mmCIF file of all heavy atoms in Angstrom:
data_model
loop_
_atom_site.group_PDB
_atom_site.id
_atom_site.type_symbol
_atom_site.label_atom_id
_atom_site.label_comp_id
_atom_site.label_asym_id
_atom_site.label_seq_id
_atom_site.Cartn_x
_atom_site.Cartn_y
_atom_site.Cartn_z
ATOM 1 N N ASN A 495 190.037 105.073 191.621
ATOM 2 C CA ASN A 495 190.150 104.827 190.162
ATOM 3 C C ASN A 495 188.737 104.407 189.642
ATOM 4 O O ASN A 495 188.155 103.417 190.115
ATOM 5 C CB ASN A 495 191.175 103.621 189.866
ATOM 6 C CG ASN A 495 191.471 103.573 188.421
ATOM 7 O OD1 ASN A 495 190.694 103.808 187.588
ATOM 8 N ND2 ASN A 495 192.673 103.009 188.191
ATOM 9 N N PRO A 496 188.144 105.222 188.730
ATOM 10 C CA PRO A 496 186.776 104.925 188.267
ATOM 11 C C PRO A 496 186.566 103.615 187.519
ATOM 12 O O PRO A 496 185.473 103.287 187.228
ATOM 13 C CB PRO A 496 186.482 106.186 187.388
ATOM 14 C CG PRO A 496 187.778 106.630 186.877
ATOM 15 C CD PRO A 496 188.778 106.396 188.012
ATOM 16 N N ILE A 497 187.653 102.965 187.106
ATOM 17 C CA ILE A 497 187.467 101.647 186.501
ATOM 18 C C ILE A 497 187.346 100.551 187.546
ATOM 19 O O ILE A 497 187.141 99.429 187.203
ATOM 20 C CB ILE A 497 188.629 101.335 185.504
ATOM 21 C CG1 ILE A 497 189.944 101.138 186.206
ATOM 22 C CG2 ILE A 497 188.678 102.373 184.435
ATOM 23 C CD1 ILE A 497 191.119 100.786 185.302
ATOM 24 N N GLY A 498 187.378 100.994 188.790
ATOM 25 C CA GLY A 498 187.122 99.973 189.861
ATOM 26 C C GLY A 498 185.688 100.208 190.372
ATOM 27 O O GLY A 498 184.932 101.203 189.955
ATOM 28 N N ASP A 499 185.192 99.344 191.242
ATOM 29 C CA ASP A 499 183.816 99.458 191.720
ATOM 30 C C ASP A 499 183.787 100.174 193.010
ATOM 31 O O ASP A 499 184.177 99.682 194.122
ATOM 32 C CB ASP A 499 183.267 98.009 191.959
ATOM 33 C CG ASP A 499 183.207 97.159 190.686
ATOM 34 O OD1 ASP A 499 182.990 97.779 189.592
ATOM 35 O OD2 ASP A 499 183.473 95.948 190.735
ATOM 36 N N TRP A 500 183.440 101.419 193.002
ATOM 37 C CA TRP A 500 183.454 102.349 194.134
ATOM 38 C C TRP A 500 182.067 102.820 194.486
ATOM 39 O O TRP A 500 181.344 103.379 193.637
ATOM 40 C CB TRP A 500 184.472 103.453 193.959
ATOM 41 C CG TRP A 500 185.897 103.076 193.839
ATOM 42 C CD1 TRP A 500 186.666 103.069 192.755
ATOM 43 C CD2 TRP A 500 186.702 102.546 194.913
ATOM 44 N NE1 TRP A 500 187.923 102.504 193.070
ATOM 45 C CE2 TRP A 500 187.990 102.257 194.380
ATOM 46 C CE3 TRP A 500 186.428 102.292 196.267
ATOM 47 C CZ2 TRP A 500 188.997 101.724 195.175
ATOM 48 C CZ3 TRP A 500 187.528 101.813 197.047
ATOM 49 C CH2 TRP A 500 188.712 101.534 196.472
ATOM 50 N N TYR A 501 181.736 102.657 195.778
ATOM 51 C CA TYR A 501 180.488 103.181 196.315
ATOM 52 C C TYR A 501 180.913 103.976 197.495
ATOM 53 O O TYR A 501 181.169 103.521 198.559
ATOM 54 C CB TYR A 501 179.660 101.943 196.754
ATOM 55 C CG TYR A 501 178.298 102.209 197.428
ATOM 56 C CD1 TYR A 501 177.595 103.394 197.216
ATOM 57 C CD2 TYR A 501 177.695 101.240 198.274
ATOM 58 C CE1 TYR A 501 176.385 103.623 197.802
ATOM 59 C CE2 TYR A 501 176.529 101.432 198.875
ATOM 60 C CZ TYR A 501 175.848 102.649 198.626
ATOM 61 O OH TYR A 501 174.608 102.895 199.214
ATOM 62 N N LEU A 502 180.911 105.312 197.294
ATOM 63 C CA LEU A 502 181.443 106.248 198.318
ATOM 64 C C LEU A 502 180.262 107.061 198.981
ATOM 65 O O LEU A 502 179.483 107.713 198.282
ATOM 66 C CB LEU A 502 182.386 107.209 197.609
ATOM 67 C CG LEU A 502 183.470 106.646 196.798
ATOM 68 C CD1 LEU A 502 184.263 107.795 196.143
ATOM 69 C CD2 LEU A 502 184.420 105.750 197.604
ATOM 70 N N GLY A 503 180.188 106.968 200.274
ATOM 71 C CA GLY A 503 179.118 107.673 200.948
ATOM 72 C C GLY A 503 179.166 107.487 202.478
ATOM 73 O O GLY A 503 180.108 107.011 203.007
ATOM 74 N N ARG A 504 178.188 108.033 203.093
ATOM 75 C CA ARG A 504 178.107 108.051 204.545
ATOM 76 C C ARG A 504 176.791 107.325 205.021
ATOM 77 O O ARG A 504 175.745 107.593 204.430
ATOM 78 C CB ARG A 504 178.205 109.439 205.101
ATOM 79 C CG ARG A 504 178.061 109.496 206.662
ATOM 80 C CD ARG A 504 178.073 110.920 207.115
ATOM 81 N NE ARG A 504 178.005 111.050 208.539
ATOM 82 C CZ ARG A 504 178.760 111.857 209.290
ATOM 83 N NH1 ARG A 504 179.583 112.703 208.755
ATOM 84 N NH2 ARG A 504 178.609 111.870 210.634
ATOM 85 N N THR A 505 176.963 106.537 206.026
ATOM 86 C CA THR A 505 175.700 105.878 206.526
ATOM 87 C C THR A 505 174.937 106.785 207.468
ATOM 88 O O THR A 505 175.511 107.739 208.083
ATOM 89 C CB THR A 505 176.119 104.588 207.317
ATOM 90 O OG1 THR A 505 176.884 104.963 208.438
ATOM 91 C CG2 THR A 505 176.895 103.636 206.449
ATOM 92 N N SER A 506 173.648 106.577 207.666
ATOM 93 C CA SER A 506 172.875 107.348 208.641
ATOM 94 C C SER A 506 172.428 106.413 209.764
ATOM 95 O O SER A 506 171.613 106.891 210.608
ATOM 96 C CB SER A 506 171.678 107.958 207.906
ATOM 97 O OG SER A 506 170.919 106.981 207.282
ATOM 98 N N THR A 507 172.838 105.194 209.787
ATOM 99 C CA THR A 507 172.430 104.254 210.827
ATOM 100 C C THR A 507 173.683 103.722 211.529
ATOM 101 O O THR A 507 174.682 103.530 210.889
ATOM 102 C CB THR A 507 171.628 103.097 210.228
ATOM 103 O OG1 THR A 507 172.414 102.430 209.211
ATOM 104 C CG2 THR A 507 170.294 103.587 209.573
ATOM 105 N N PRO A 508 173.545 103.498 212.882
ATOM 106 C CA PRO A 508 174.697 102.942 213.574
ATOM 107 C C PRO A 508 175.072 101.497 213.296
ATOM 108 O O PRO A 508 176.214 101.058 213.527
ATOM 109 C CB PRO A 508 174.381 103.138 215.023
ATOM 110 C CG PRO A 508 172.807 103.100 215.028
ATOM 111 C CD PRO A 508 172.459 103.734 213.781
ATOM 112 N N LYS A 509 174.102 100.779 212.721
ATOM 113 C CA LYS A 509 174.254 99.398 212.404
ATOM 114 C C LYS A 509 173.753 99.151 210.985
ATOM 115 O O LYS A 509 172.996 99.902 210.446
ATOM 116 C CB LYS A 509 173.495 98.456 213.367
ATOM 117 C CG LYS A 509 174.018 98.554 214.800
ATOM 118 C CD LYS A 509 173.222 97.583 215.690
ATOM 119 C CE LYS A 509 173.674 97.718 217.174
ATOM 120 N NZ LYS A 509 172.873 96.716 218.023
ATOM 121 N N PRO A 510 174.223 98.024 210.318
ATOM 122 C CA PRO A 510 173.723 97.706 208.985
ATOM 123 C C PRO A 510 172.172 97.534 209.031
ATOM 124 O O PRO A 510 171.656 97.170 210.082
ATOM 125 C CB PRO A 510 174.403 96.407 208.603
ATOM 126 C CG PRO A 510 175.611 96.319 209.554
ATOM 127 C CD PRO A 510 175.219 97.079 210.783
ATOM 128 N N LEU A 511 171.557 97.909 207.965
ATOM 129 C CA LEU A 511 170.070 97.785 207.876
ATOM 130 C C LEU A 511 169.746 96.349 207.740
ATOM 131 O O LEU A 511 170.420 95.570 206.912
ATOM 132 C CB LEU A 511 169.565 98.577 206.740
ATOM 133 C CG LEU A 511 168.062 98.592 206.619
ATOM 134 C CD1 LEU A 511 167.412 99.390 207.788
ATOM 135 C CD2 LEU A 511 167.638 99.337 205.299
ATOM 136 N N GLN A 512 168.782 95.850 208.470
ATOM 137 C CA GLN A 512 168.364 94.433 208.345
ATOM 138 C C GLN A 512 166.891 94.374 207.872
ATOM 139 O O GLN A 512 166.023 94.986 208.499
ATOM 140 C CB GLN A 512 168.467 93.677 209.648
ATOM 141 C CG GLN A 512 168.238 92.176 209.597
ATOM 142 C CD GLN A 512 168.514 91.509 210.909
ATOM 143 O OE1 GLN A 512 167.630 91.482 211.717
ATOM 144 N NE2 GLN A 512 169.693 90.978 211.083
ATOM 145 N N ILE A 513 166.616 93.701 206.745
ATOM 146 C CA ILE A 513 165.307 93.582 206.243
ATOM 147 C C ILE A 513 165.013 92.083 205.893
ATOM 148 O O ILE A 513 165.906 91.282 205.921
ATOM 149 C CB ILE A 513 165.125 94.490 204.943
ATOM 150 C CG1 ILE A 513 166.039 93.877 203.805
ATOM 151 C CG2 ILE A 513 165.410 95.858 205.204
ATOM 152 C CD1 ILE A 513 165.783 94.527 202.448
ATOM 153 N N ARG A 514 163.756 91.809 205.640
ATOM 154 C CA ARG A 514 163.384 90.493 205.174
ATOM 155 C C ARG A 514 163.023 90.565 203.667
ATOM 156 O O ARG A 514 162.234 91.359 203.302
ATOM 157 C CB ARG A 514 162.122 89.988 205.910
ATOM 158 C CG ARG A 514 162.488 89.449 207.262
ATOM 159 C CD ARG A 514 161.312 88.685 207.919
ATOM 160 N NE ARG A 514 161.706 88.022 209.131
ATOM 161 C CZ ARG A 514 162.260 86.797 209.191
ATOM 162 N NH1 ARG A 514 162.555 86.109 208.086
ATOM 163 N NH2 ARG A 514 162.580 86.215 210.343
ATOM 164 N N ALA A 515 163.788 89.851 202.875
ATOM 165 C CA ALA A 515 163.512 89.714 201.438
ATOM 166 C C ALA A 515 163.423 88.307 201.033
ATOM 167 O O ALA A 515 164.329 87.447 201.304
ATOM 168 C CB ALA A 515 164.637 90.385 200.670
ATOM 169 N N LYS A 516 162.204 87.899 200.492
ATOM 170 C CA LYS A 516 161.901 86.536 200.125
ATOM 171 C C LYS A 516 162.064 85.630 201.347
ATOM 172 O O LYS A 516 162.761 84.542 201.281
ATOM 173 C CB LYS A 516 162.865 86.073 199.002
ATOM 174 C CG LYS A 516 162.629 86.793 197.713
ATOM 175 C CD LYS A 516 163.542 86.274 196.620
ATOM 176 C CE LYS A 516 163.228 86.984 195.272
ATOM 177 N NZ LYS A 516 164.165 86.506 194.222
ATOM 178 N N SER A 517 161.496 86.046 202.463
ATOM 179 C CA SER A 517 161.455 85.279 203.679
ATOM 180 C C SER A 517 162.867 85.034 204.310
ATOM 181 O O SER A 517 163.030 84.191 205.229
ATOM 182 C CB SER A 517 160.755 83.889 203.477
ATOM 183 O OG SER A 517 159.435 84.111 202.995
ATOM 184 N N GLN A 518 163.795 85.811 203.885
ATOM 185 C CA GLN A 518 165.190 85.646 204.426
ATOM 186 C C GLN A 518 165.625 86.947 204.975
ATOM 187 O O GLN A 518 165.329 88.084 204.422
ATOM 188 C CB GLN A 518 166.168 85.145 203.377
ATOM 189 C CG GLN A 518 165.889 83.727 202.869
ATOM 190 C CD GLN A 518 166.966 83.328 201.895
ATOM 191 O OE1 GLN A 518 167.618 84.101 201.274
ATOM 192 N NE2 GLN A 518 167.057 81.980 201.713
ATOM 193 N N LYS A 519 166.405 86.945 206.050
ATOM 194 C CA LYS A 519 166.923 88.196 206.566
ATOM 195 C C LYS A 519 168.140 88.593 205.736
ATOM 196 O O LYS A 519 169.019 87.789 205.464
ATOM 197 C CB LYS A 519 167.451 87.960 208.073
ATOM 198 C CG LYS A 519 166.285 87.939 209.072
ATOM 199 C CD LYS A 519 166.760 87.866 210.438
ATOM 200 C CE LYS A 519 165.612 87.868 211.479
ATOM 201 N NZ LYS A 519 166.140 87.868 212.911
ATOM 202 N N THR A 520 168.161 89.887 205.429
ATOM 203 C CA THR A 520 169.188 90.483 204.611
ATOM 204 C C THR A 520 169.771 91.668 205.296
ATOM 205 O O THR A 520 169.070 92.521 205.749
ATOM 206 C CB THR A 520 168.705 90.895 203.261
ATOM 207 O OG1 THR A 520 168.143 89.782 202.569
ATOM 208 C CG2 THR A 520 169.816 91.487 202.433
ATOM 209 N N THR A 521 171.112 91.715 205.442
ATOM 210 C CA THR A 521 171.767 92.789 206.147
ATOM 211 C C THR A 521 172.680 93.518 205.219
ATOM 212 O O THR A 521 173.525 92.865 204.519
ATOM 213 C CB THR A 521 172.511 92.278 207.380
ATOM 214 O OG1 THR A 521 171.605 91.596 208.302
ATOM 215 C CG2 THR A 521 173.225 93.409 208.132
ATOM 216 N N PHE A 522 172.651 94.872 205.158
ATOM 217 C CA PHE A 522 173.521 95.606 204.262
ATOM 218 C C PHE A 522 173.646 97.056 204.758
ATOM 219 O O PHE A 522 172.734 97.540 205.458
ATOM 220 C CB PHE A 522 173.035 95.574 202.799
ATOM 221 C CG PHE A 522 171.692 96.159 202.607
ATOM 222 C CD1 PHE A 522 171.517 97.462 202.296
ATOM 223 C CD2 PHE A 522 170.495 95.356 202.862
ATOM 224 C CE1 PHE A 522 170.249 97.987 202.021
ATOM 225 C CE2 PHE A 522 169.237 95.864 202.638
ATOM 226 C CZ PHE A 522 169.117 97.283 202.277
ATOM 227 N N TRP A 523 174.651 97.717 204.340
ATOM 228 C CA TRP A 523 174.857 99.155 204.603
ATOM 229 C C TRP A 523 174.309 99.885 203.384
ATOM 230 O O TRP A 523 174.333 99.389 202.282
ATOM 231 C CB TRP A 523 176.292 99.537 204.838
ATOM 232 C CG TRP A 523 176.906 99.085 206.094
ATOM 233 C CD1 TRP A 523 177.811 98.027 206.255
ATOM 234 C CD2 TRP A 523 176.729 99.633 207.389
ATOM 235 N NE1 TRP A 523 178.119 97.896 207.567
ATOM 236 C CE2 TRP A 523 177.499 98.908 208.316
ATOM 237 C CE3 TRP A 523 175.945 100.789 207.865
ATOM 238 C CZ2 TRP A 523 177.619 99.230 209.673
ATOM 239 C CZ3 TRP A 523 176.052 101.020 209.200
ATOM 240 C CH2 TRP A 523 176.808 100.310 210.107
ATOM 241 N N PHE A 524 173.907 101.149 203.588
ATOM 242 C CA PHE A 524 173.573 102.051 202.473
ATOM 243 C C PHE A 524 174.060 103.427 202.739
ATOM 244 O O PHE A 524 174.123 103.881 203.883
ATOM 245 C CB PHE A 524 172.099 102.053 202.168
ATOM 246 C CG PHE A 524 171.246 102.756 203.199
ATOM 247 C CD1 PHE A 524 170.903 104.043 203.032
ATOM 248 C CD2 PHE A 524 170.814 102.081 204.357
ATOM 249 C CE1 PHE A 524 170.125 104.721 203.998
ATOM 250 C CE2 PHE A 524 170.037 102.732 205.305
ATOM 251 C CZ PHE A 524 169.721 104.075 205.157
ATOM 252 N N ALA A 525 174.409 104.175 201.726
ATOM 253 C CA ALA A 525 174.840 105.615 201.820
ATOM 254 C C ALA A 525 173.595 106.406 201.801
ATOM 255 O O ALA A 525 172.823 106.337 200.807
ATOM 256 C CB ALA A 525 175.812 105.972 200.759
ATOM 257 N N THR A 526 173.341 107.324 202.838
ATOM 258 C CA THR A 526 172.140 108.094 202.797
ATOM 259 C C THR A 526 172.204 109.160 201.739
ATOM 260 O O THR A 526 173.136 109.905 201.534
ATOM 261 C CB THR A 526 172.004 108.749 204.229
ATOM 262 O OG1 THR A 526 170.827 109.578 204.216
ATOM 263 C CG2 THR A 526 173.201 109.610 204.614
ATOM 264 N N GLY A 527 171.129 109.235 200.976
ATOM 265 C CA GLY A 527 171.104 110.188 199.840
ATOM 266 C C GLY A 527 171.058 111.621 200.252
ATOM 267 O O GLY A 527 171.458 112.455 199.532
ATOM 268 N N GLY A 528 170.561 111.844 201.498
ATOM 269 C CA GLY A 528 170.496 113.199 201.996
ATOM 270 C C GLY A 528 171.878 113.806 202.323
ATOM 271 O O GLY A 528 171.965 115.015 202.492
ATOM 272 N N ALA A 529 172.845 112.959 202.331
ATOM 273 C CA ALA A 529 174.257 113.469 202.535
ATOM 274 C C ALA A 529 175.028 113.524 201.221
ATOM 275 O O ALA A 529 176.043 114.146 201.146
ATOM 276 C CB ALA A 529 174.981 112.566 203.552
ATOM 277 N N GLY A 530 174.498 112.768 200.260
ATOM 278 C CA GLY A 530 175.208 112.664 198.952
ATOM 279 C C GLY A 530 176.065 111.409 198.910
ATOM 280 O O GLY A 530 176.500 110.897 199.957
ATOM 281 N N PHE A 531 176.208 110.892 197.728
ATOM 282 C CA PHE A 531 177.150 109.732 197.483
ATOM 283 C C PHE A 531 177.614 109.725 196.070
ATOM 284 O O PHE A 531 177.003 110.422 195.206
ATOM 285 C CB PHE A 531 176.445 108.401 197.880
ATOM 286 C CG PHE A 531 175.202 108.091 197.060
ATOM 287 C CD1 PHE A 531 175.329 107.488 195.822
ATOM 288 C CD2 PHE A 531 173.943 108.340 197.566
ATOM 289 C CE1 PHE A 531 174.219 107.168 195.048
ATOM 290 C CE2 PHE A 531 172.794 108.084 196.837
ATOM 291 C CZ PHE A 531 172.890 107.527 195.591
ATOM 292 N N CYS A 532 178.699 109.000 195.843
ATOM 293 C CA CYS A 532 179.285 108.909 194.441
ATOM 294 C C CYS A 532 179.528 107.441 194.153
ATOM 295 O O CYS A 532 179.868 106.644 194.950
ATOM 296 C CB CYS A 532 180.663 109.617 194.446
ATOM 297 S SG CYS A 532 180.537 111.413 194.619
ATOM 298 N N LEU A 533 179.295 107.183 192.852
ATOM 299 C CA LEU A 533 179.482 105.839 192.320
ATOM 300 C C LEU A 533 180.370 105.883 191.067
ATOM 301 O O LEU A 533 180.290 106.822 190.226
ATOM 302 C CB LEU A 533 178.134 105.237 191.881
ATOM 303 C CG LEU A 533 176.995 105.228 192.794
ATOM 304 C CD1 LEU A 533 175.726 104.694 192.219
ATOM 305 C CD2 LEU A 533 177.332 104.426 194.072
ATOM 306 N N SER A 534 181.311 104.954 190.945
ATOM 307 C CA SER A 534 182.165 104.906 189.786
ATOM 308 C C SER A 534 181.371 104.341 188.569
ATOM 309 O O SER A 534 180.368 103.676 188.770
ATOM 310 C CB SER A 534 183.349 103.993 190.023
ATOM 311 O OG SER A 534 182.969 102.675 190.255
#
Side-chain angles (χ1 to χ4, degrees):
N495 193 330
I497 64 175
D499 299 324
W500 293 109
Y501 178 26
L502 310 175
R504 178 181 180 139
T505 63
S506 58
T507 57
K509 296 181 180 179
L511 186 66
Q512 188 175 86
I513 64 172
R514 280 193 173 274
K516 295 182 178 180
S517 301
Q518 293 183 342
K519 284 186 178 180
T520 301
T521 302
F522 61 94
W523 289 105
F524 71 95
T526 179
F531 60 82
C532 294
L533 309 176
S534 63

